[in-house]
Amino acid sequence: MTTDEENLAVAAHRRCSVLLRRWLSETHTPVRGGPLRLPLGPIRLHAEVEYVSPTGAHRFGPIRVVDAEDRPLAIAEPGLLSAALSAEARARAVADATINAADAGSLVDWALRSTGERDAELDPVGAGVRESTLHEQLREGAWTPPRILESVTDGAEAERWLSKHVETELLPRLCALESPGEEATASLLSSGVLAAIGVLGRCGVADERDLLAVLSAQLDAFTDSHPELDPLLRSWLTGPTVTDVAVVNGSSLRYRSRSGEIRPDPVLHEIANPLRPFNAASPRVPGVPLPELGEGWSLRPVELTGDDGGPDAALVHEWMNTEHVAVNWNQAWSREEWHTELATQLGGSHSLPCIVSLDGRRIAYVELYRVERDKLAGCYPRHPRDLGVHIAIGDDAVIGRGLGSSLLLAVARGLLEADPECPRVVAEPNVHNAASIAAFAKAGYTREREVGLPTKNSALMVHPR
Amino acid sequence: MTTDEENLAVAAHRRCSVLLRRWLSETHTPVRGGPLRLPLGPIRLHAEVEYVSPTGAHRFGPIRVVDAEDRPLAIAEPGLLSAALSAEARARAVADATINAADAGSLVDWALRSTGERDAELDPVGAGVRESTLHEQLREGAWTPPRILESVTDGAEAERWLSKHVETELLPRLCALESPGEEATASLLSSGVLAAIGVLGRCGVADERDLLAVLSAQLDAFTDSHPELDPLLRSWLTGPTVTDVAVVNGSSLRYRSRSGEIRPDPVLHEIANPLRPFNAASPRVPGVPLPELGEGWSLRPVELTGDDGGPDAALVHEWMNTEHVAVNWNQAWSREEWHTELATQLGGSHSLPCIVSLDGRRIAYVELYRVERDKLAGCYPRHPRDLGVHIAIGDDAVIGRGLGSSLLLAVARGLLEADPECPRVVAEPNVHNAASIAAFAKAGYTREREVGLPTKNSALMVHPR
């Protein structure tokens, strides 16, 4: 290979990295160092995670398409990866979502358009690593991203640079805002200073946690002198999520702008707030309370007995392996696996597995959980005492008689009564599970938004107090 | 780069080559050795043509996306190239063509599907190089494509192999056909034995022309003993085009099959017949005759006078630079360039440039040409005496008064009268030029098919005798 071709291969890798970072952020997929396996529509991706970033600016080693045995089939290329991500995003969304419209375009259009764009333009969609936006945001300052990396070469310099930038650029801009809200969060925080911190971390110049600590101390000090900015700054510092700009996924996303120009059309979504660990003391959230349901319903925690878990474990295993449950829960595991799973849940404070009976007949399996300790925690602006519910009506003889929504209502009422500080009960059925969404709606749960999870897009259903 | 990654890069290059070969064949783009530049929708492609194949099995060196100054921007990757080709094919086709339907899918689906398919499966769409079909066609024989290349290592061996294959495989299959026609041509000839010849040529084992000579001699000898196959074999040997199977372009192409499966759905199209040079003596076609039009019309060849071409050259240059002509002809050249162009045409026997007047007023520029000597020659099963016409009504004061179709009818009648052996007069307006197509239709030209040309898709309009 010539040097030219090596440079082109590096550029292709960068463009793939942008897409992959974005996808992981938007599907709220947990990222750890080492190998990452991801089914993406018709292909299977395998990437080496070389650097895990608190702001989402992860760095990847080789990214490849592999077969079922992890054998490499192709180097991941931006065009192909765009196509796979578009296909997967479309399959996750409902049929009448804008992303599935005939003229919606796709990320492939982005890949075509961005071919040949260099440096800053190459990274227009990274979560917290949007160097181009960073460039725009901060162009009045004496530097652009490459220039940061020229003038800042170690952690101490990075902290000094950040501190000065916040003082002379970020805070004055913040004060000049007319309506400080989600858009300001997206442009000044997520795609602005957090993006810069992510770039410095990814390039090995500084430890992101040190920079996040500097930033949060400065923002915190500023709230005293500017009470009018307090609500916004408090949400930046302690909110469970911050607003980002989505360009890969989501049913409300158009890939083709109204003027007909082909480009990703940003929509707002939520990502976990990397400043929160430095500011919000880990909330002391009690375990899941046991609700009383009334009206003939009874609910009790699963009981495990004997070496094999006993009758409750057997029943849950049986239900999970029936077709109508397996298709939604995707947990048609073995008896042993379910025994282990139930024991783990019962031993922790995250989730409480229960058997529900109606007039003495056991008909459903329910998991009650604290959102704060669940994967949903990073997906929406939760309250620490939010409670969540998963439900499986195992006894298929009772399906279709409206018992599901009756049970869901009883559970919401019971939970809100059992924990007076809990402001809402939530659930996250797959956007394609119309029956489940309808049952929640009938039980008084409101569909608030769509959230991306590692394996599905979910409708966030909320039953307020 | 590891060996693994080098192998993957080679596989990606092969998949790009398949797509590029197919596109060149289907747009009837002439291929020469050396650098090839191709605008493809939103990108510009630059490829080194390392081997020019009579059967269309060209071999390419580096294939890159470049900027306007030919600087490399990206290595061409199958996903991106598929997207660019799909975009270009869609832009060339009319809005209601099947390829533009909401559910039509695209070559990107092919790229996704074929990721990781190996060897034979990698090359399902090459013009005359469809190794997978070759494999299917010839699987009863003792070899598959890789095995040909194992057992055949020079030209003499290749000729012996081919001769035996024709005798023991191709001819028996031909005799077993119930309805020998286009499909047989596509499967047995284009994608069968011509594909094998292309592979042998591309791999440097044999000279394709030697193998084509062997094949044509055998087919020719066979016609005597099988008169029932004579029409098919004659068309194989001497027809100006042979049928191939289109999978990239064309308005009647669906990229998604009716069963919902994503795959290219083949449609038949025509490519230049590589056997013809060995069998059809170059027809002695006279130059373009000068038609008499009548009904107030007069037509005369352009007259060049003086150093700058004189008044006719000035008028053609002026017309070609008016907006309504330039948008369709795309030849808004300088006066000098037009002078040279007209002199070249007048000095050859391909095309005759003429000025048309109506009742003494000069209103149009017309080029009359022999299809046999034109780029259209390889696009449809022409007759050697076919004549073609290009028309530009330069005087925009007369546009929209139906004079165009009146002139086109007069030209067709005049040409058919001037050359009694000419069976038809043809034209090839851009499929997007509805006004021109309507004028031809009104003048008695029938829309026969769509043909791909290097820069546009054209409606082939035919006025029969």
Side-chain angles (χ1 to χ4, degrees):
Chain A
M1 279 212 159
T2 65
T3 312
D4 245 9
E5 275 174 322
E6 274 170 21
N7 289 342
L8 295 178
V10 168
H13 176 74
R14 270 165 72 188
R15 295 170 69 220
C16 283
S17 296
V18 169
L19 290 164
L20 185 53
R21 282 198 296 265
R22 185 71 231 180
W23 183 259
L24 293 172
S25 149
E26 210 164 326
T27 55
H28 299 98
T29 303
V31 176
R32 289 182 199 87
L36 168 78
R37 286 171 187 81
L38 213 58
L40 273 185
I43 64 173
R44 299 168 67 89
L45 211 64
H46 184 287
E48 283 297 320
V49 181
E50 287 184 347
Y51 167 71
V52 177
S53 159
T55 61
H58 318 296
R59 187 177 65 234
F60 304 105
I63 310 176
R64 292 168 174 179
V65 180
V66 295
D67 66 14
E69 279 82 40
D70 275 359
R71 284 185 300 241
L73 295 176
I75 303 166
E77 25 165 284
L80 193 77
L81 191 52
S82 303
L85 289 173
S86 292
E88 179 68 8
R90 288 175 169 183
R92 281 164 162 258
V94 290
D96 62 356
T98 319
I99 195 178
N100 281 318
D103 62 345
S106 75
L107 272 181
V108 178
D109 299 318
W110 173 82
L112 279 172
R113 243 180 81 91
S114 66
T115 300
E117 294 187 0
R118 289 163 192 277
D119 299 329
E121 288 78 11
L122 271 177
D123 217 337
V125 295
V129 286
R130 305 211 306 157
E131 279 135 308
S132 67
T133 311
L134 180 68
H135 179 42
E136 275 166 39
Q137 294 301 325
L138 306 171
R139 67 167 51 137
E140 271 116 329
W143 50 271
T144 57
R147 283 189 219 150
I148 305 181
L149 298 174
E150 274 168 29
S151 61
V152 172
T153 56
D154 65 27
E157 281 175 356
E159 287 181 33
R160 280 195 297 276
W161 166 83
L162 176 66
S163 182
K164 189 178 166 208
H165 168 70
V166 171
E167 194 177 319
T168 60
E169 301 283 335
L170 177 65
L171 298 178
R173 273 155 203 266
L174 206 51
C175 294
L177 287 176
E178 282 190 15
S179 58
E182 279 189 345
E183 276 189 42
T185 305
S187 66
L188 291 181
L189 185 70
S190 308
S191 304
V193 67
L194 289 181
I197 290 172
V199 171
L200 291 166
R202 189 171 75 224
C203 298
V205 172
D207 188 315
E208 286 187 47
R209 286 163 301 183
D210 296 340
L211 300 179
L212 290 167
V214 167
L215 173 61
S216 69
Q218 268 183 296
L219 293 177
D220 190 41
F222 195 65
T223 52
D224 295 337
S225 53
H226 290 76
E228 77 284 3
L229 288 171
D230 187 73
L232 181 65
L233 288 175
R234 276 295 132 217
S235 78
W236 285 15
L237 289 168
T238 64
T241 61
V242 292
T243 302
D244 196 9
V245 178
V247 289
V248 171
N249 188 24
S251 65
S252 54
L253 169 62
R254 286 194 86 81
Y255 285 115
R256 198 181 290 267
S257 75
R258 281 186 196 126
S259 66
E261 194 198 5
I262 297 167
R263 63 178 186 78
D265 208 11
V267 293
L268 299 174
H269 77 149
E270 303 283 336
I271 58 172
N273 181 5
L275 286 172
R276 178 177 164 89
F278 298 88
N279 298 282
S282 192
R284 275 199 216 100
V285 179
V288 179
L290 199 62
E292 289 190 15
L293 303 190
E295 297 176 35
W297 293 103
S298 69
L299 176 149
R300 60 167 177 78
V302 163
E303 285 175 25
L304 297 182
T305 58
D307 283 348
D308 63 356
D312 278 4
L315 186 62
V316 173
H317 165 249
E318 184 196 321
W319 284 346
M320 285 297 155
N321 283 274
T322 59
E323 198 182 325
H324 73 282
V325 173
V327 72
N328 288 313
W329 279 63
N330 209 17
Q331 297 184 0
W333 301 334
S334 70
R335 172 94 186 253
E336 292 66 36
E337 285 168 313
W338 265 109
H339 184 189
T340 307
E341 168 69 18
L342 293 168
T344 306
Q345 285 191 35
L346 289 168
S349 56
H350 163 204
S351 177
L352 185 65
C354 301
I355 301 288
V356 173
S357 305
L358 181 61
D359 300 329
R361 179 175 178 174
R362 299 181 302 173
I363 62 165
Y365 171 69
V366 164
E367 286 174 359
L368 307 173
Y369 58 93
R370 284 290 182 192
V371 172
E372 187 67 28
R373 302 190 177 99
D374 191 76
K375 62 182 184 301
L376 255 188
C379 300
Y380 75 98
R382 73 192 178 281
H383 184 278
R385 296 291 277 255
D386 281 356
L387 285 162
V389 57
H390 299 136
I391 181 172
I393 298 189
D395 184 345
D396 61 2
V398 304
I399 289 178
R401 287 164 49 196
L403 288 173
S405 50
S406 160
L407 170 58
L408 292 170
L409 176 60
V411 168
R413 284 186 179 154
L415 285 172
L416 293 171
E417 198 168 318
D419 180 0
E421 289 179 53
C422 167
R424 62 179 80 87
V425 176
V426 305
E428 35 80 306
N430 192 312
V431 292
H432 290 294
N433 191 347
S436 176
I437 291 172
F440 277 108
K442 198 173 162 200
Y445 293 68
T446 307
R447 183 175 185 158
E448 286 219 343
R449 63 172 71 198
E450 191 167 319
V451 294
L453 295 175
T455 59
K456 64 177 180 182
N457 279 13
S458 285
L460 184 74
M461 307 297 296
V462 176
H463 194 297
R465 176 165 289 275
Chain B
M1 279 210 157
T2 65
T3 312
D4 245 9
E5 275 175 320
E6 274 169 20
N7 289 341
L8 296 178
V10 168
H13 176 74
R14 270 166 72 189
R15 294 169 70 221
C16 282
S17 296
V18 170
L19 291 164
L20 186 52
R21 283 198 295 266
R22 185 73 231 180
W23 182 259
L24 294 172
S25 149
E26 210 163 327
T27 56
H28 299 97
T29 302
V31 177
R32 291 182 200 87
L36 168 79
R37 286 170 187 81
L38 214 57
L40 274 184
I43 64 172
R44 299 168 67 90
L45 210 65
H46 183 289
E48 283 296 320
V49 181
E50 288 184 347
Y51 167 71
V52 177
S53 159
T55 61
H58 318 295
R59 187 175 66 232
F60 303 105
I63 310 178
R64 291 168 174 178
V65 180
V66 295
D67 65 13
E69 279 80 41
D70 275 359
R71 284 184 301 242
L73 296 176
I75 304 166
E77 25 165 283
L80 193 76
L81 190 51
S82 304
L85 289 173
S86 292
E88 178 69 7
R90 288 176 167 182
R92 281 164 164 259
V94 291
D96 61 355
T98 319
I99 194 178
N100 280 319
D103 62 345
S106 74
L107 272 181
V108 177
D109 299 319
W110 172 81
L112 279 172
R113 242 179 81 92
S114 66
T115 301
E117 295 186 0
R118 287 164 193 277
D119 299 331
E121 288 77 10
L122 271 178
D123 217 338
V125 295
V129 285
R130 303 210 308 156
E131 279 136 308
S132 67
T133 311
L134 180 69
H135 180 40
E136 274 167 40
Q137 292 302 325
L138 305 171
R139 67 166 50 136
E140 270 115 329
W143 50 270
T144 58
R147 283 187 218 151
I148 303 179
L149 299 175
E150 274 169 29
S151 61
V152 172
T153 57
D154 64 28
E157 281 175 358
E159 287 181 33
R160 281 196 298 276
W161 166 83
L162 176 66
S163 181
K164 188 177 166 210
H165 167 70
V166 172
E167 196 177 317
T168 60
E169 300 284 335
L170 177 65
L171 297 178
R173 273 154 203 266
L174 206 52
C175 294
L177 288 177
E178 282 191 14
S179 59
E182 281 190 343
E183 276 191 42
T185 306
S187 68
L188 291 180
L189 185 71
S190 308
S191 304
V193 66
L194 290 181
I197 290 173
V199 171
L200 290 165
R202 191 171 73 223
C203 297
V205 172
D207 187 315
E208 287 187 48
R209 286 163 302 183
D210 297 340
L211 300 179
L212 290 168
V214 167
L215 174 61
S216 68
Q218 268 182 298
L219 294 177
D220 189 44
F222 196 65
T223 51
D224 294 338
S225 53
H226 290 77
E228 78 283 5
L229 288 172
D230 187 71
L232 181 64
L233 288 174
R234 275 296 131 217
S235 77
W236 285 16
L237 288 168
T238 64
T241 62
V242 292
T243 302
D244 196 8
V245 178
V247 289
V248 171
N249 188 24
S251 65
S252 54
L253 169 63
R254 286 194 86 80
Y255 285 117
R256 196 182 293 268
S257 74
R258 280 187 196 125
S259 67
E261 193 196 6
I262 296 166
R263 63 178 187 80
D265 209 10
V267 293
L268 299 174
H269 77 150
E270 302 285 337
I271 58 171
N273 180 4
L275 286 172
R276 178 178 164 89
F278 298 87
N279 299 283
S282 190
R284 275 198 215 100
V285 180
V288 179
L290 198 64
E292 289 190 14
L293 304 190
E295 295 176 35
W297 293 104
S298 68
L299 176 149
R300 61 169 176 77
V302 163
E303 285 174 26
L304 297 182
T305 59
D307 283 350
D308 62 355
D312 278 4
L315 186 63
V316 173
H317 165 249
E318 183 196 323
W319 283 347
M320 285 296 156
N321 282 276
T322 59
E323 198 183 325
H324 73 281
V325 174
V327 72
N328 288 312
W329 279 62
N330 209 16
Q331 297 184 1
W333 300 335
S334 69
R335 172 95 186 253
E336 292 66 37
E337 286 168 313
W338 265 109
H339 183 188
T340 307
E341 168 69 18
L342 293 168
T344 306
Q345 285 192 35
L346 289 168
S349 57
H350 164 201
S351 177
L352 185 65
C354 299
I355 301 289
V356 173
S357 305
L358 180 61
D359 301 328
R361 179 175 177 174
R362 298 181 303 173
I363 62 166
Y365 172 69
V366 163
E367 287 175 359
L368 307 173
Y369 58 92
R370 283 292 183 191
V371 172
E372 186 69 27
R373 301 191 177 98
D374 192 77
K375 62 184 185 299
L376 257 188
C379 300
Y380 76 98
R382 73 193 177 280
H383 184 278
R385 296 292 279 255
D386 281 357
L387 286 162
V389 58
H390 299 136
I391 181 173
I393 298 189
D395 185 345
D396 61 2
V398 304
I399 289 177
R401 288 164 48 195
L403 288 172
S405 49
S406 160
L407 170 58
L408 292 170
L409 176 59
V411 167
R413 283 187 179 153
L415 284 172
L416 292 171
E417 198 169 317
D419 180 1
E421 289 180 51
C422 167
R424 63 180 79 88
V425 176
V426 305
E428 35 81 303
N430 192 312
V431 293
H432 291 293
N433 190 346
S436 175
I437 292 172
F440 277 108
K442 199 174 162 200
Y445 294 68
T446 307
R447 184 174 183 156
E448 285 218 342
R449 63 171 73 196
E450 191 168 319
V451 293
L453 295 175
T455 59
K456 63 176 180 182
N457 279 13
S458 285
L460 185 73
M461 307 298 296
V462 176
H463 193 296
R465 177 166 287 277

Short mmCIF file of all heavy atoms in Angstrom, two decimals, chain A residues 401-429:
data_model
loop_
_atom_site.label_atom_id
_atom_site.label_comp_id
_atom_site.label_asym_id
_atom_site.label_seq_id
_atom_site.Cartn_x
_atom_site.Cartn_y
_atom_site.Cartn_z
N ARG A 401 -58.40 -10.54 27.41
CA ARG A 401 -59.63 -10.26 28.17
C ARG A 401 -59.51 -8.94 28.94
O ARG A 401 -60.27 -8.69 29.87
CB ARG A 401 -59.93 -11.42 29.12
CG ARG A 401 -60.43 -12.67 28.36
CD ARG A 401 -60.36 -13.92 29.20
NE ARG A 401 -60.93 -13.76 30.54
CZ ARG A 401 -60.72 -14.60 31.55
NH1 ARG A 401 -59.93 -15.66 31.38
NH2 ARG A 401 -61.26 -14.39 32.73
N GLY A 402 -58.51 -8.13 28.57
CA GLY A 402 -58.35 -6.82 29.22
C GLY A 402 -57.74 -6.93 30.60
O GLY A 402 -57.63 -5.93 31.31
N LEU A 403 -57.33 -8.14 31.00
CA LEU A 403 -56.76 -8.29 32.33
C LEU A 403 -55.40 -7.61 32.44
O LEU A 403 -55.02 -7.12 33.50
CB LEU A 403 -56.63 -9.78 32.67
CG LEU A 403 -57.97 -10.47 32.96
CD1 LEU A 403 -57.76 -11.97 33.13
CD2 LEU A 403 -58.58 -9.87 34.23
N GLY A 404 -54.67 -7.55 31.30
CA GLY A 404 -53.35 -6.93 31.30
C GLY A 404 -53.42 -5.48 31.78
O GLY A 404 -52.72 -5.09 32.73
N SER A 405 -54.30 -4.67 31.17
CA SER A 405 -54.35 -3.26 31.55
C SER A 405 -54.90 -3.09 32.97
O SER A 405 -54.47 -2.21 33.71
CB SER A 405 -55.16 -2.44 30.54
OG SER A 405 -56.39 -3.05 30.30
N SER A 406 -55.82 -3.96 33.33
CA SER A 406 -56.33 -3.93 34.70
C SER A 406 -55.20 -4.17 35.70
O SER A 406 -55.04 -3.47 36.71
CB SER A 406 -57.44 -4.98 34.82
OG SER A 406 -57.65 -5.31 36.16
N LEU A 407 -54.34 -5.15 35.38
CA LEU A 407 -53.19 -5.45 36.25
C LEU A 407 -52.19 -4.29 36.27
O LEU A 407 -51.68 -3.89 37.32
CB LEU A 407 -52.51 -6.73 35.76
CG LEU A 407 -51.16 -7.08 36.40
CD1 LEU A 407 -51.29 -7.20 37.92
CD2 LEU A 407 -50.60 -8.37 35.81
N LEU A 408 -51.92 -3.72 35.07
CA LEU A 408 -50.95 -2.62 34.99
C LEU A 408 -51.40 -1.41 35.80
O LEU A 408 -50.60 -0.73 36.44
CB LEU A 408 -50.71 -2.23 33.52
CG LEU A 408 -50.00 -3.29 32.68
CD1 LEU A 408 -50.02 -2.94 31.20
CD2 LEU A 408 -48.56 -3.48 33.18
N LEU A 409 -52.70 -1.15 35.77
CA LEU A 409 -53.24 -0.05 36.56
C LEU A 409 -53.09 -0.34 38.05
O LEU A 409 -52.65 0.51 38.84
CB LEU A 409 -54.72 0.18 36.21
CG LEU A 409 -55.45 1.25 37.04
CD1 LEU A 409 -54.78 2.61 36.89
CD2 LEU A 409 -56.93 1.33 36.62
N ALA A 410 -53.44 -1.57 38.43
CA ALA A 410 -53.33 -1.96 39.85
C ALA A 410 -51.89 -1.87 40.33
O ALA A 410 -51.61 -1.41 41.44
CB ALA A 410 -53.87 -3.39 40.03
N VAL A 411 -50.93 -2.27 39.46
CA VAL A 411 -49.51 -2.21 39.84
C VAL A 411 -49.08 -0.76 40.03
O VAL A 411 -48.42 -0.40 41.02
CB VAL A 411 -48.63 -2.91 38.78
CG1 VAL A 411 -47.16 -2.59 39.00
CG2 VAL A 411 -48.85 -4.42 38.82
N ALA A 412 -49.45 0.13 39.08
CA ALA A 412 -49.06 1.54 39.19
C ALA A 412 -49.62 2.14 40.47
O ALA A 412 -48.90 2.78 41.25
CB ALA A 412 -49.56 2.32 37.96
N ARG A 413 -50.91 1.93 40.72
CA ARG A 413 -51.53 2.46 41.95
C ARG A 413 -50.85 1.92 43.18
O ARG A 413 -50.54 2.65 44.13
CB ARG A 413 -53.01 2.12 41.98
CG ARG A 413 -53.82 3.00 41.04
CD ARG A 413 -55.30 2.72 41.22
NE ARG A 413 -56.10 3.57 40.35
CZ ARG A 413 -57.32 3.26 39.91
NH1 ARG A 413 -57.87 2.10 40.27
NH2 ARG A 413 -57.98 4.08 39.13
N GLY A 414 -50.62 0.60 43.18
CA GLY A 414 -50.00 -0.04 44.34
C GLY A 414 -48.61 0.49 44.61
O GLY A 414 -48.23 0.75 45.77
N LEU A 415 -47.81 0.68 43.55
CA LEU A 415 -46.44 1.16 43.74
C LEU A 415 -46.42 2.59 44.25
O LEU A 415 -45.65 2.95 45.13
CB LEU A 415 -45.65 1.06 42.42
CG LEU A 415 -45.20 -0.35 42.01
CD1 LEU A 415 -44.61 -0.34 40.60
CD2 LEU A 415 -44.18 -0.91 43.01
N LEU A 416 -47.28 3.45 43.67
CA LEU A 416 -47.31 4.85 44.09
C LEU A 416 -47.75 4.97 45.55
O LEU A 416 -47.30 5.85 46.29
CB LEU A 416 -48.25 5.66 43.18
CG LEU A 416 -47.76 5.82 41.73
CD1 LEU A 416 -48.84 6.45 40.85
CD2 LEU A 416 -46.47 6.66 41.67
N GLU A 417 -48.58 4.05 45.97
CA GLU A 417 -49.02 4.04 47.36
C GLU A 417 -47.93 3.51 48.28
O GLU A 417 -47.70 4.02 49.38
CB GLU A 417 -50.27 3.15 47.46
CG GLU A 417 -51.09 3.39 48.72
CD GLU A 417 -52.44 2.70 48.60
OE1 GLU A 417 -53.04 2.78 47.49
OE2 GLU A 417 -52.86 2.07 49.57
N ALA A 418 -47.21 2.48 47.78
CA ALA A 418 -46.18 1.85 48.62
C ALA A 418 -44.96 2.76 48.81
O ALA A 418 -44.27 2.67 49.82
CB ALA A 418 -45.75 0.52 47.99
N ASP A 419 -44.66 3.63 47.82
CA ASP A 419 -43.54 4.56 47.96
C ASP A 419 -44.05 5.98 47.71
O ASP A 419 -44.08 6.45 46.58
CB ASP A 419 -42.42 4.23 46.96
CG ASP A 419 -41.24 5.21 47.10
OD1 ASP A 419 -41.30 6.12 47.95
OD2 ASP A 419 -40.25 5.05 46.35
N PRO A 420 -44.41 6.69 48.77
CA PRO A 420 -45.01 8.02 48.61
C PRO A 420 -44.07 9.01 47.92
O PRO A 420 -44.52 10.02 47.39
CB PRO A 420 -45.31 8.45 50.04
CG PRO A 420 -45.28 7.20 50.85
CD PRO A 420 -44.34 6.27 50.18
N GLU A 421 -42.77 8.74 47.91
CA GLU A 421 -41.83 9.66 47.26
C GLU A 421 -41.62 9.34 45.78
O GLU A 421 -40.88 10.04 45.08
CB GLU A 421 -40.49 9.65 47.99
CG GLU A 421 -40.56 10.31 49.36
CD GLU A 421 -39.22 10.26 50.07
OE1 GLU A 421 -38.22 10.68 49.47
OE2 GLU A 421 -39.18 9.77 51.22
N CYS A 422 -42.22 8.28 45.31
CA CYS A 422 -42.07 7.91 43.90
C CYS A 422 -43.02 8.76 43.05
O CYS A 422 -44.23 8.74 43.28
CB CYS A 422 -42.39 6.43 43.72
SG CYS A 422 -42.61 5.94 42.01
N PRO A 423 -42.47 9.54 42.08
CA PRO A 423 -43.35 10.44 41.31
C PRO A 423 -44.03 9.76 40.12
O PRO A 423 -45.03 10.28 39.61
CB PRO A 423 -42.39 11.52 40.80
CG PRO A 423 -41.07 10.84 40.70
CD PRO A 423 -41.05 9.74 41.73
N ARG A 424 -43.51 8.62 39.68
CA ARG A 424 -44.10 8.00 38.48
C ARG A 424 -43.67 6.55 38.34
O ARG A 424 -42.62 6.16 38.86
CB ARG A 424 -43.69 8.76 37.21
CG ARG A 424 -42.22 8.78 36.94
CD ARG A 424 -41.89 9.54 35.66
NE ARG A 424 -41.88 10.98 35.83
CZ ARG A 424 -40.83 11.70 36.23
NH1 ARG A 424 -39.68 11.10 36.53
NH2 ARG A 424 -40.90 13.01 36.35
N VAL A 425 -44.50 5.79 37.65
CA VAL A 425 -44.17 4.40 37.31
C VAL A 425 -44.02 4.34 35.79
O VAL A 425 -44.87 4.88 35.06
CB VAL A 425 -45.28 3.44 37.78
CG1 VAL A 425 -44.97 2.02 37.33
CG2 VAL A 425 -45.44 3.52 39.29
N VAL A 426 -42.93 3.71 35.33
CA VAL A 426 -42.67 3.71 33.88
C VAL A 426 -42.54 2.28 33.34
O VAL A 426 -42.39 1.31 34.09
CB VAL A 426 -41.37 4.47 33.54
CG1 VAL A 426 -41.41 5.89 34.08
CG2 VAL A 426 -40.14 3.72 34.06
N ALA A 427 -42.63 2.17 32.01
CA ALA A 427 -42.40 0.90 31.34
C ALA A 427 -41.81 1.21 29.97
O ALA A 427 -41.90 2.34 29.49
CB ALA A 427 -43.70 0.13 31.19
N GLU A 428 -41.18 0.22 29.33
CA GLU A 428 -40.51 0.47 28.05
C GLU A 428 -40.79 -0.64 27.04
O GLU A 428 -39.86 -1.29 26.59
CB GLU A 428 -38.99 0.69 28.25
CG GLU A 428 -38.31 -0.13 29.34
CD GLU A 428 -37.98 -1.57 28.93
OE1 GLU A 428 -38.90 -2.29 28.47
OE2 GLU A 428 -36.81 -1.95 29.09
N PRO A 429 -42.08 -0.82 26.63
CA PRO A 429 -42.37 -1.84 25.62
C PRO A 429 -41.74 -1.47 24.26
O PRO A 429 -41.59 -0.29 23.94
CB PRO A 429 -43.89 -1.83 25.52
CG PRO A 429 -44.30 -0.47 25.99
CD PRO A 429 -43.30 -0.11 27.05
#
